[in-house]
Amino acid sequence: MDGLGGTAAAIVLIVLVIFVIIVLVRSVRIIPQARAGVVERLGKYQRTLNPGLTILIPFVDRLLPLLDLREQVVSFPPQPVITEDNLVVSIDTVVYFQVTDPRAATYEIANYIQAVEQLTTTTLRNVVGGLNLEEALTSRDQINGQLRGVLDEATGRWGIRVSRVELKAIDPPHSIQDSMEKQMRAERDRRAAILTAEGTKQSQILTAEGQRQAAILAAEGDAKAAILRADGEAQAIQKVFDAIHKGNPDQKLLAYQYLQTLPKIAEGSSNKLWIIPSEVGEALKGIGGALGGNNGDSPVGLFGGSDESKSSEPAGTPAQPRPAE
C-alpha cells in the first residue's frame, strides 16, 4: 500500500510540475521589435501588446498571431487593362504599405494583402481606362499618384498606410510593339538625316566663310604689298632725283646717260621693233658737241668734222690727204 501511495504521489507531482510549466509558458510572452500582438480575453479584444515582456492570464487571455509593423513590399502579377483606345496592355504593379493599427488590421479586414491587391487592380483599370496607350506609357508618375491616393484613402480604415505604388512594367501587344519600334526607328532616321544635313550646311557655311576671309586677307595683303612697292619706288625715284639735283649735272652728262639707257630699252626677246625717241637727236647733238669740241650744234662731230667743213668742198671732188704732223 505504501508503494502504491508513493507512486500516485509522484504522478500527481509530475502532473503539477507539467501544469505549472504550461501555465508559465502561456502566461509569459516576449514580443520582438517591430512586431505587435492582439490579446483577446474570453474571445473579446483586450489590448495590443508592444515589443517587450508581457504577462497573460492562462486559459483566459489568447494571443493572436503577431503582426509585422515594418513596411512591406508586395508585387502583384500582371493584370490586363484596356486603355481608352481599346488596346489591352499588361501592367505589373508594386505596392509599398505598412500596418499602422494592429487592431484595425485584425478586425476590420480579413486578409489585408488580398484586399490591397484587388483594390489596386480595380483602381488601376479605372485610371488607365481614361488614358490612351501613349499617355499610359508616358504618364507613370500621374498613374502612381492617383493609385496611391485612392489606395491610401481606402486602406486607412483598415489600419494600413500605402506609402508608394509603382508600375513595374507596361507591356502593350506585340503588334503594337512592332509598330512602335518601326515608328521610333523612322523617327531616329529622320533626326539623323536632319542632323547630317545641318552638319553639312554648317560645314559649307564655315568653308565659304573661310574662303571669303582668305580672299579678303589675300587682297588686303596684295594691296599693302603694292602700296609698299609703290612707296619704295617713289622713295627711290625721290632719292635719285635729289642726288641728281645735288650733283648739278650739265646737259652733256644727261645726254650721255640717255644714250647709255637706250640699249636697255631694247633688251628682251619679245622686242621685235626698236623705236628711237625724237629726243635722240638732241642727245646726239649734246654728246657730239662734248666729244668734238663744238657747242653741240650737230651730231656729226662724233665722226671728226663739222657741217661747214664738209659743205665747203664741191661735190665729186676727192678728198685731199692731210700732211702728216
Side-chain angles (χ1 to χ4, degrees):
M1 295 295 294
D2 293 337
L4 293 175
T7 303
I11 294 174
V12 171
L13 182 60
I14 292 173
V15 170
L16 290 175
V17 170
I18 294 173
F19 178 77
V20 170
I21 293 174
I22 293 174
V23 169
L24 291 175
V25 170
R26 293 179 64 90
S27 61
V28 177
R29 293 297 179 88
I30 298 176
I31 307 300
Q33 185 67 33
R35 299 290 194 279
V38 175
V39 177
E40 291 181 348
R41 179 166 294 177
L42 300 177
K44 184 180 178 180
Y45 172 77
Q46 199 271 331
R47 69 180 188 275
T48 300
L49 298 181
N50 295 321
L53 180 64
T54 184
I55 304 297
L56 300 177
I57 300 176
F59 307 107
V60 176
D61 294 340
R62 185 170 70 95
L63 179 63
L64 298 181
L66 300 180
L67 298 177
D68 194 344
L69 300 181
R70 296 173 296 179
E71 187 173 12
Q72 302 181 43
V73 182
V74 179
S75 177
F76 300 131
Q79 299 294 329
V81 180
I82 301 176
T83 61
E84 187 181 13
D85 46 359
N86 296 325
L87 293 176
V88 179
V89 295
S90 181
I91 301 179
D92 296 350
T93 55
V94 179
V95 179
Y96 298 80
F97 67 92
Q98 184 179 13
V99 176
T100 57
D101 188 355
R103 180 181 180 279
T106 302
Y107 296 106
E108 298 295 335
I109 188 71
N111 188 341
Y112 57 82
I113 295 180
Q114 184 179 3
V116 170
E117 178 182 1
Q118 296 300 323
L119 183 60
T120 301
T121 303
T122 304
T123 307
L124 183 63
R125 289 175 178 173
N126 293 334
V127 173
V128 178
L131 304 174
N132 56 37
L133 179 59
E134 185 176 358
E135 292 175 348
L137 294 175
T138 58
S139 304
R140 292 195 176 190
D141 293 339
Q142 178 182 354
I143 297 174
N144 294 338
Q146 294 182 8
L147 286 175
R148 181 188 175 281
V150 173
L151 291 175
D152 194 22
E153 182 180 359
T155 58
R157 61 187 182 87
W158 299 341
I160 298 174
R161 181 179 63 86
V162 177
S163 58
R164 292 181 62 185
V165 179
E166 296 290 342
L167 300 183
K168 186 167 62 175
I170 300 178
D171 299 327
H174 293 289
S175 59
I176 302 300
Q177 291 182 10
D178 295 338
S179 300
M180 293 173 62
E181 290 178 359
K182 292 179 181 179
Q183 182 181 359
M184 294 176 62
R185 191 179 301 111
E187 181 67 19
R188 291 192 182 97
D189 294 340
R190 184 183 68 84
R191 292 180 181 178
I194 292 175
L195 291 177
T196 303
E198 289 290 338
T200 304
K201 174 184 175 183
Q202 191 68 19
S203 176
Q204 293 176 354
I205 291 174
L206 293 177
T207 301
E209 184 68 21
Q211 293 176 354
R212 185 178 72 86
Q213 291 292 338
I216 292 174
L217 293 177
E220 291 178 354
D222 294 340
K224 291 182 179 179
I227 293 173
L228 292 176
R229 285 195 299 268
D231 291 341
E233 292 176 358
Q235 291 178 6
I237 293 173
Q238 184 66 34
K239 287 184 179 180
V240 172
F241 183 79
D242 294 341
I244 291 173
H245 280 274
K246 287 181 180 179
N248 194 16
D250 55 0
Q251 185 178 3
K252 299 177 182 179
L253 178 60
L254 293 176
Y256 179 74
Q257 291 293 331
Y258 187 79
L259 289 177
Q260 285 185 340
T261 306
L262 287 178
K264 296 182 180 180
I265 299 177
E267 290 181 356
S269 59
S270 62
N271 293 330
K272 303 299 182 182
L273 181 63
W274 187 19
I275 299 175
I276 300 176
S278 60
E279 292 84 355
V280 71
E282 297 295 331
L284 290 175
K285 287 182 181 181
I287 194 65
L291 297 177
N294 297 325
N295 293 328
D297 296 332
S298 175
V300 184
L302 293 171
F303 304 99
S306 64
D307 294 337
E308 295 178 355
S309 61
K310 289 185 179 294
S311 61
S312 61
E313 295 180 0
T317 304
Q320 296 297 325
R322 291 185 179 185
E325 295 179 359

